[in-house]
């Protein structure tokens, strides 16, 4: 016997209501249903002096805390790797805990086994949003109160670009390119980095359509620029502008197309961008920062309102896909 239409209509209405409640928790929206990313509260991280770090034991150096699936943390990890900061900054890779809805720290550090615990240890209230990336300074001795230096990726990558390390570390933001890098940031942050989330977290069709248009319009601008000058966004040199774009584009086919609906055009419709992504992935140590299985598990497994059955899809193989020749349009 088929289900009466009234029953289906009621179930849909009920589910829609519940879905909105869950989304309010996950991704706040404005009155029109456009996703509104919450602001980070700690944006004043300062670059420590070499002298300050040189008196520290390895364990008492500041720690950069990231999560593998988080694209905002991925930017900081890239700068960490590209500038080889391991002698002056420790790296902690936290794991998503879908049941508790928080980041786990394993093994525990400073007596804390969760990121929220660490934020609290730094004096933040229990209601504080504990996000990655974050830089925490435990202080030179165990008597010091640990400090949360910053938790805004855009700012942290600038700080990490000046973080004391070996003299041969590349400068990813040379002064003559500051304006250009900032102009890319102004375009790419809202329309691409956040744009994929604005597509995925849109509450209605109009909000999705708006985000999707801005996203693909911005990709067209990048494609044209790479065609005009390249091979990097600011010309000859890889800069923070490229670092900011990569974590979003490398997750494209694995997460943002299937889960967030960023599917208006496949990435291979942008041949220069396709080559740019191959070029970036082939830079030393970049592949070590990519964990497609972790991305799939975290996004599909933890974003419950978008994937209530939590089924994690298979493939595609990242390296094989990125290194394939894009088909002709
Ligand atoms: N503004 C932050 C955003 C970071 C962010 O949203 N991180 C997410 C993971 S992708 C997070 O840690 N969320 C945990 C939470 O909201 O409780 C940045 O760019 O650094």
């Amino acid at each position: 016997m088929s289900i009466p239409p009234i029953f289906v209509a009621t179930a849909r209405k009920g589910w829609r209501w519940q879905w909105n409640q869950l989304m309010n928790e996950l991704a706040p929206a404005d009155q029109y249903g456009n996703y509104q990313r919450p602001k980070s509260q700690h944006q004043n991280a300062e670059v420590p002096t070499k002298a300050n770090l040189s008196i520290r034991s390895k364990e008492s150096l500041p720690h950069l805390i990231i999560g593998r699936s988080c694209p905002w943390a991925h930017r900081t990890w890239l700068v960490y790797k590209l500038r080889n900061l391991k002698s002056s900054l420790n790296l902690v890779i936290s794991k998503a805990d879908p049941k508790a809805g928080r980041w786990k720290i394993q093994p525990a550090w400073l007596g804390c086994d969760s990121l929220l615990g660490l934020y609290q240890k730094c004096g933040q209230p229990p209601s504080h949003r504990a996000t990655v990336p974050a830089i925490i300074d435990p202080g030179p001795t165990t008597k010091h109160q640990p400090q949360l230096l910053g938790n805004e990726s855009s700012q942290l990558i600038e700080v990490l670009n000046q973080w004391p390390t070996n003299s041969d570390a590349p400068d990813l933001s040379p002064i003559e390119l500051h304006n250009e890098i900032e102009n890319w940031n102004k375009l790419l942050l809202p329309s691409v980095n956040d744009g994929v989330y604005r597509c995925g977290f849109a509450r209605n069709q109009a909000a999705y359509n708006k985000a999707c248009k801005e996203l693909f319009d911005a990709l067209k601008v990048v494609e044209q620029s790479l065609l005009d000058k390249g091979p990097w966004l600011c010309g000859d040199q890889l800069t923070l502008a490229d670092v900011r774009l990569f974590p979003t584009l490398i997750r494209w086919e694995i997460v943002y197309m299937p889960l967030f609906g960023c599917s208006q055009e496949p990435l291979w419709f942008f041949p220069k961008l396709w080559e740019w992504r191959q070029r970036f992935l082939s830079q030393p140590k970049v592949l070590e920062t990519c964990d497609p299985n972790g991305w799939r598990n975290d996004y599909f497994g933890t974003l419950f309102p978008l994937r209530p059955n939590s089924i994690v899809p298979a493939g595609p193989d990242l390296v094989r896909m990125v290194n394939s020749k894009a088909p002709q349009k």
Side-chain angles (χ1 to χ4, degrees):
M1 200 181 84
S2 62
I3 302 169
I6 179 81
F7 184 81
V8 176
T10 311
R12 283 178 76 145
K13 217 171 158 183
W15 164 244
R16 177 95 206 168
W17 183 87
Q18 283 187 35
W19 180 75
N20 264 312
Q21 307 310 305
L22 292 168
M23 287 299 286
N24 287 344
E25 281 295 304
L26 174 71
D30 68 12
Q31 55 174 321
Y32 306 108
N34 303 297
Y35 169 54
Q36 298 282 292
R37 176 169 292 280
K39 285 217 168 14
S40 305
Q41 286 150 299
H42 306 273
Q43 310 202 17
N44 301 317
E46 281 175 18
V47 185
T49 62
K50 204 166 187 156
N52 179 334
L53 295 182
S54 64
I55 55 163
R56 305 285 191 102
S57 63
K58 176 79 178 145
E59 186 49 30
S60 68
L61 285 170
H63 286 48
L64 169 64
I65 303 175
I66 60 160
R68 280 180 181 268
S69 51
C70 173
W72 311 101
H74 196 174
R75 314 161 143 192
T76 60
W77 197 7
L78 286 168
V79 179
Y80 180 88
K81 286 280 187 188
L82 293 169
R83 300 197 67 241
N84 197 11
L85 298 180
K86 69 172 185 291
S87 60
S88 50
L89 181 65
N90 291 324
L91 183 76
V92 174
I93 302 179
S94 55
K95 287 215 174 75
D97 179 353
K99 287 210 182 96
R102 59 177 197 171
W103 290 104
K104 285 189 290 191
I105 307 290
Q106 277 173 342
W109 178 52
L110 302 176
C112 304
D113 64 2
S114 74
L115 185 65
L116 182 59
L118 279 176
Y119 268 60
Q120 285 178 249
K121 191 113 195 167
C122 294
Q124 308 305 321
S127 57
H128 198 292
R129 203 173 149 237
T131 54
V132 288
I135 298 185
I136 291 182
D137 184 358
T141 70
T142 47
K143 290 203 186 92
H144 283 82
Q145 150 111 37
Q147 275 193 337
L148 176 61
L149 297 187
N151 72 351
E152 168 52 47
S153 62
S154 250
Q155 204 243 335
L156 290 185
I157 55 173
E158 284 168 12
V159 167
L160 295 179
N161 187 48
Q162 294 168 39
W163 198 269
T165 186
N166 306 332
S167 52
D168 58 351
D171 179 2
L172 301 169
S173 183
I175 192 147
E176 65 281 9
L177 295 177
H178 275 186
N179 283 346
E180 211 175 331
I181 294 173
E182 193 38 43
N183 286 341
W184 277 122
N185 192 32
K186 279 190 191 134
L187 173 75
L188 299 179
L189 176 61
S191 47
V192 178
N193 302 131
D194 202 33
V196 291
Y197 284 89
R198 288 170 53 222
C199 288
F201 292 161
R203 299 292 180 92
N204 55 48
Q205 190 68 49
Y208 167 81
N209 290 351
K210 183 170 183 291
C212 185
K213 180 169 184 337
E214 284 173 26
L215 171 62
F216 283 90
D217 283 354
L219 291 188
K220 282 177 199 144
V221 173
V222 184
E223 177 71 7
Q224 188 58 49
S225 166
L226 290 173
L227 201 61
D228 294 342
K229 58 178 191 181
W232 302 109
L233 292 194
C234 295
D236 292 332
Q237 194 188 332
L238 187 160
T239 66
L240 291 185
D242 302 283
V243 167
R244 287 186 170 117
L245 183 58
F246 181 75
T248 303
L249 291 199
I250 198 67
R251 285 163 175 71
W252 201 263
E253 293 84 350
I254 292 176
V255 183
Y256 299 144
M257 261 179 95
L259 188 64
F260 286 0
C262 301
S263 45
Q264 183 181 297
E265 293 176 44
L267 210 60
W268 56 266
F269 273 25
F270 301 87
K272 288 286 157 196
L273 213 44
W274 184 273
E275 285 169 21
W276 170 91
R277 187 173 69 164
Q278 263 172 357
R279 194 174 304 120
F280 199 117
L281 186 67
S282 64
Q283 297 302 300
K285 300 194 198 143
V286 169
L287 188 56
E288 293 167 29
T289 68
C290 297
D291 177 16
N293 284 332
W295 301 342
R296 270 188 281 269
N297 283 331
D298 283 5
Y299 277 91
F300 287 92
T302 67
L303 294 182
F304 175 77
L306 300 188
R307 191 74 162 189
N309 63 16
S310 299
I311 291 173
V312 179
D317 179 84
L318 181 82
V319 176
R320 196 168 145 220
M321 177 191 65
V322 171
N323 291 333
S324 305
K325 208 167 156 28
Q328 296 299 307
K329 264 212 267 182

